């Protein structure tokens, strides 16, 4: 009998630029946050069932069947079916460093780590396309009609170019770049902020269409600069994107205080990331300035900060046999 332990992991994600305008058909770029991860560990045991242990959310249950309608229970069933297995006997422990509900793709990362560890436990490896597709199904149960951006960024662990209604497109930056992510500690439901923007757009379409279009231009220039390895150009573009988000009305005094703190501490550029009003701020920095920028944002009210390097290319088999 096989008594190895299997482990797999998956990164968080953050929207680099293009949020909100993306809802109106313009492109957005999301990037993996490889330094903030979910880890799934499988311990084979001869119990005859799978014990799913989620200590971070204080959940523990047996599969089959698992809690009715639970996205992870469904994911386990679909993944094992895809791997040609009806059962798995042992303990599955999932640990996450990703804030829940903070726009950092926590549910997609949990699902990705689980799919990968189930594949490893059955002696198989799945490519990112397969992982992404299985994770998308779980995301549908979690979030209704997800855009597909989270599962793609997390499963490919690469920057992704996303236009609504088109398959998300992973791409490579020519040089790595460093981001500081600061949690404002304020939770603002994405759904409500998106709805509020829609109301504003309906009241003055011409104005908001111009703002969304301008964001679309910025996002195109960010991609060009990343693909050219011209990181210095990206900073001012992120600032420009922030200015446009302020005009749309999704920023806040706290977010702007964190952004100013980052810029004053030497960031190349900074903006809110995700839906806005709360959630995260991101700052693009040269690696030497990361700690100073993170400290400055915490002093200005961020509840926590993460530093991450977005790599050119990640050797993506985050699966180890321990
Ligand atoms: O905060 P997040 O990562 O859920 O991003 C929301 C991005 C929006 O453009 C505001 C909404 C959307 O569905 O794209």
């Amino acid at each position: 009998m096989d008594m190895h332990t299997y482990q797999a992991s998956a990164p968080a994600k953050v929207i680099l630029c293009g949020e909100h305008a993306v809802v109106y058909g313009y492109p957005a770029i999301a990037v993996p946050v490889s330094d903030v991860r979910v880890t799934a560990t499988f311990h084979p045991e001869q119990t005859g069932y799978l014990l799913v242990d989620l200590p971070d959310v204080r959940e523990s249950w047996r599969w089959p069947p698992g809690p009715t309608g639970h996205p992870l229970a469904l994911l386990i069933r679909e993944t094992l079916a895809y791997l040609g297995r009806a059962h798995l006997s042992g303990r599955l422990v999932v640990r996450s460093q990703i804030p829940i509900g903070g726009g950092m793709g926590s549910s997609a990362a949990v699902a990705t780590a689980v799919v990968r560890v189930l594949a490893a436990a059955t002696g198989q490896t799945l490519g990112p396309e397969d992982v992404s597709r299985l994770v998308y199904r779980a995301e549908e149960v979690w979030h209704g009609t997800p855009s597909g951006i989270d599962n793609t960024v997390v499963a490919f662990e690469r920057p992704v170019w996303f236009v609504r209604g088109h398959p998300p497109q992973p791409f490579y930056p020519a040089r790595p770049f460093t981001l500081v992510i600061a949690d404002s500690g304020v939770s603002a439901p994405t759904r409500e902020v998106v709805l509020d923007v829609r109301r504003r757009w309906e009241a003055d379409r011409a104005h908001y269409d111009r703002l969304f279009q301008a964001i679309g231009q910025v996002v195109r220039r960010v991609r060009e600069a990343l693909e050219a390895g011209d990181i210095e150009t990206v900073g001012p573009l992120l600032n420009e994107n922030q200015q446009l988000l302020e005009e749309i009305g999704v920023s806040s005094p706290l977010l702007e205080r964190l952004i100013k703190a980052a810029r004053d501490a030497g960031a190349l550029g900074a903006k809110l990331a995700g839906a806005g009003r709360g959630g995260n701020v991101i700052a693009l920095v040269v690696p030497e300035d990361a700690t100073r920028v993170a400290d400055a944002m915490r002093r200005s009210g961020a509840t926590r900060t993460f530093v991450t390097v977005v790599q050119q290319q990640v050797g993506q088999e985050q699966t180890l046999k321990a």
Side-chain angles (χ1 to χ4, degrees):
M1 219 200 67
D2 190 352
M3 277 302 164
H4 287 294
T5 293
Y6 300 87
Q7 201 167 75
S9 75
K13 78 99 198 352
V14 74
I15 294 189
L16 183 66
C17 53
E19 50 275 270
H20 288 293
V22 72
V23 175
Y24 299 82
Y26 295 96
I29 294 173
V31 298
V33 181
S34 296
D35 301 275
V36 183
R37 306 189 76 86
V38 169
T39 305
T41 312
F42 175 71
H43 309 270
E45 288 167 0
Q46 284 180 313
T47 51
Y49 57 83
L50 188 65
L51 180 68
V52 179
D53 203 2
L54 311 164
D56 301 310
V57 290
R58 297 200 176 81
E59 260 185 52
S60 185
W61 34 268
R62 284 183 185 194
W63 185 90
T68 314
H70 197 297
L72 267 190
L74 175 123
L75 180 76
I76 291 165
R77 194 184 55 209
E78 293 206 353
T79 303
L80 288 178
Y82 189 70
L83 295 165
R85 287 285 203 97
H87 296 286
L88 198 60
S89 175
R91 193 158 49 93
L92 172 64
V93 184
V94 183
R95 301 298 319 239
S96 177
Q97 305 171 318
I98 308 176
I100 295 170
M104 288 183 74
S106 121
S107 58
V110 165
T112 299
V114 166
V115 169
R116 286 192 178 134
V117 86
L118 294 180
T122 62
Q124 300 176 61
T125 314
L126 295 177
E129 291 87 358
D130 287 339
V131 174
S132 180
R133 197 172 31 75
L134 287 161
V135 171
Y136 183 80
R137 298 274 297 115
E139 290 281 278
E140 280 183 316
V141 180
W142 252 307
H143 302 301
T145 48
S147 62
I149 198 164
D150 285 18
N151 50 292
T152 307
V153 187
V154 169
F156 283 82
E157 199 157 348
R158 268 198 243 159
V160 164
W161 173 264
F162 181 78
V163 178
R164 222 179 159 154
H166 297 266
Q169 219 185 84
F171 71 95
Y172 290 114
R175 270 172 52 200
F177 56 96
T178 305
L179 294 176
V180 180
I181 301 162
D183 187 346
S184 70
V186 174
S187 81
T190 297
R191 189 189 291 268
E192 280 167 33
V193 185
V194 169
L195 201 67
D196 188 44
V197 171
R198 179 153 303 265
R199 281 192 213 103
R200 289 164 186 240
W201 173 73
E202 276 165 0
D204 189 353
R205 291 193 185 202
H207 177 60
Y208 284 87
D209 281 337
R210 268 197 304 279
L211 295 173
F212 296 144
Q213 199 177 352
I215 290 177
Q217 298 292 348
V218 169
V219 174
R220 278 172 213 289
R221 284 155 62 206
V222 168
R223 179 171 176 175
E224 280 165 19
L226 291 178
E227 289 183 326
D230 184 7
I231 305 304
E232 291 68 27
T233 300
V234 177
L237 290 170
L238 298 186
N239 291 340
E240 216 177 297
N241 193 165
Q242 170 62 22
Q243 178 60 40
L244 291 159
L245 287 163
E246 288 175 21
E247 287 175 44
I248 288 170
V250 294
S251 189
S252 78
L254 170 58
L255 296 178
E256 284 162 36
R257 194 163 79 226
L258 301 180
I259 288 165
K260 181 173 186 309
R263 290 176 188 159
D264 289 350
L268 301 169
K271 64 182 276 294
L272 68 86
R277 303 254 166 96
N280 296 304
V281 163
I282 53 169
L284 179 70
V285 297
V286 294
E288 305 79 76
D289 290 342
T291 307
R292 193 174 49 191
V293 169
D295 289 348
M297 287 202 277
R298 278 200 309 277
R299 274 199 307 275
S300 297
T303 52
R304 62 188 142 180
T305 52
F306 306 99
V307 176
T308 196
V309 179
V310 181
Q311 301 289 351
Q312 294 145 281
Q313 200 160 349
V314 184
Q316 242 348 273
E317 249 351 291
Q318 293 289 340
T319 305
L320 333 159
K321 197 172 178 181

